[in-house]
Amino acid sequence: MQAKTIIVASLLALTITSPFSYAQDAATTAAPAAAPIAAAATALPAAAGTAAAVPAEQVIASLTKENALLQERLKALESCSITSAELAARNSKRLKEMAGDVRAQRQGLADFEGYVKWMSGHVAGYSKYLAAGSVAARFAKVLPIPYAGQASMFTKFVSDAAVSLGASSVSINKYLATSQQFVTRVDALDPARPTHTQEVSDLTRFADQDLLKGMLEVQDRLVTTSQLTTSSLSFLESLNHYVGSTDEYWAKTKSLLKSDDKAEKSFLSESTTALRNKAQAFNAKFILFDATVKKAAPQIKSLVAYDDLIRSMDPRFAKLR
């Protein structure tokens, strides 16, 4: 009787309609398994065997439940499917969001360019104080040494500063052009055009290879400019404090400066104050720029990852991989 029950349950299981091969395999496997299960069940003594045969209803319910789970999984997979065009649309949206940050960067870059030009002109004006300071440093131990701890290297400090500031100016102007090109191309994106997916892909590669490279270069140049500013300001502040408390500096460096001590002291004090104020404004804006760079770098890498997926999905882009 038990063997018949199991065989009936197996036959009923085979009748369950399922679009999945996995459910069919499960039902097919149940039939050959019925014989050993039945033999094992009849071999057990009635007094010793406490486990009853699995009811047919329970087997059917179990297989039905499994079939329903498979259907749910298939629906989930179908809902997760996405086309290359849809991925391109997502990248297009991210590119437009990034363009907003780039526009904010460009507003600050104009101020950076102005500061670099101002600093370049004033470093030349500070050179005489650096030169005089290197002389005074021989007897005024409190004065900081402007370049790498070597007072005799003041000319190298000034020349290196000029070269570095010049390089910063070049990087800023180059990135202004690159970022403008990026913003213009993003604004021109149109999902209705048949070439939209290709345009998004090309723009993503431009952002990775040109925009990010220029952005990081400007970031590096501005860090150097900030360091030069800090070094110059530290020296001028200490020198200004020293000359305000003694005339010994003027006496020993008279040949390097003007004859009018008052005019020199006034110019030195005003220059120090101007550099301090401009340095504070520069550093505040640089913090904002640095934050946008740190945000943009992972965004662009994410865009590239999605673009790689688009190219692998769409045969039209396979040759571009």
Side-chain angles (χ1 to χ4, degrees):
M1 181 61 180
Q2 293 175 340
K4 290 181 178 179
T5 301
I6 294 175
I7 292 172
V8 170
S10 301
L11 292 174
L12 288 173
L14 288 171
T15 62
I16 297 177
T17 301
S18 169
F20 304 97
S21 60
Y22 181 84
Q24 292 174 346
D25 292 342
T28 304
T29 305
I37 293 175
T42 55
L44 291 174
T50 56
V54 179
E57 294 81 1
Q58 185 174 340
V59 175
I60 295 173
S62 177
L63 290 174
T64 303
K65 181 179 180 181
E66 185 177 4
N67 186 34
L69 288 174
L70 288 173
Q71 291 183 15
E72 290 179 3
R73 290 177 183 176
L74 181 60
K75 290 180 180 179
L77 289 174
E78 290 174 346
S79 64
C80 290
S81 62
I82 190 169
T83 65
S84 59
E86 290 171 332
L87 283 175
R90 293 186 183 186
N91 267 8
S92 178
K93 181 180 179 181
R94 290 188 176 95
L95 285 168
K96 290 183 180 296
E97 292 172 354
M98 189 183 303
D101 292 334
V102 173
R103 286 189 180 91
Q105 282 184 344
R106 288 176 55 78
Q107 293 177 357
L109 284 174
D111 294 331
F112 291 145
E113 173 67 6
Y115 176 79
V116 168
K117 289 181 178 179
W118 179 87
M119 187 66 183
S120 297
H122 279 67
V123 163
Y126 297 152
S127 63
K128 63 180 180 180
Y129 294 108
L130 295 173
S134 67
V135 175
R138 299 171 187 170
F139 58 86
K141 302 299 182 182
V142 297
L143 289 178
I145 307 305
Y147 186 86
Q150 299 295 325
S152 61
M153 298 294 286
F154 74 92
T155 53
K156 184 172 178 58
F157 172 81
V158 174
S159 62
D160 284 358
V163 171
S164 179
L165 290 169
S168 296
S169 182
V170 170
S171 296
I172 291 173
N173 283 304
K174 183 179 178 181
Y175 181 66
L176 279 169
T178 301
S179 59
Q180 181 59 60
Q181 184 180 354
F182 173 77
V183 170
T184 301
R185 291 176 64 179
V186 170
D187 290 342
L189 288 176
D190 184 1
R193 283 203 298 263
T195 58
H196 178 252
T197 300
Q198 180 67 62
E199 291 171 354
V200 170
S201 181
D202 293 341
L203 190 51
T204 295
R205 298 295 162 168
F206 178 80
D208 181 49
Q209 298 169 6
D210 296 278
L211 183 73
L212 182 59
K213 180 181 177 181
M215 196 184 299
L216 292 174
E217 183 177 336
V218 170
Q219 181 190 41
D220 183 63
R221 293 297 184 186
L222 292 180
V223 168
T224 302
T225 299
S226 179
Q227 292 171 345
L228 287 172
T229 301
T230 300
S231 191
S232 298
L233 182 60
S234 176
F235 183 80
L236 290 177
E237 285 181 333
S238 297
L239 184 61
N240 189 44
H241 175 74
Y242 179 74
V243 299
S245 59
T246 178
D247 291 330
E248 187 177 13
Y249 172 86
W250 301 113
K252 292 185 176 295
T253 60
K254 185 73 73 172
S255 61
L256 298 172
L257 302 172
K258 295 179 180 179
S259 57
D260 189 350
D261 291 350
K262 290 184 178 180
E264 288 288 355
K265 290 181 179 180
S266 176
F267 177 77
L268 178 60
S269 178
E270 292 173 359
S271 297
T272 303
T273 301
L275 179 57
R276 184 189 305 111
N277 293 337
K278 287 184 176 292
Q280 290 174 348
F282 169 84
N283 289 330
K285 292 178 180 178
F286 175 69
I287 289 174
L288 296 176
F289 179 85
D290 186 62
T292 61
V293 174
K294 291 178 179 177
K295 177 183 177 182
Q299 283 181 329
I300 292 175
K301 295 306 178 184
S302 176
L303 287 170
V304 172
Y306 276 106
D307 187 62
D308 286 339
L309 184 57
I310 293 172
R311 295 186 180 208
S312 65
M313 293 171 59
D314 197 326
R316 293 175 300 172
F317 300 140
K319 62 182 180 180
L320 301 177
R321 294 177 62 187

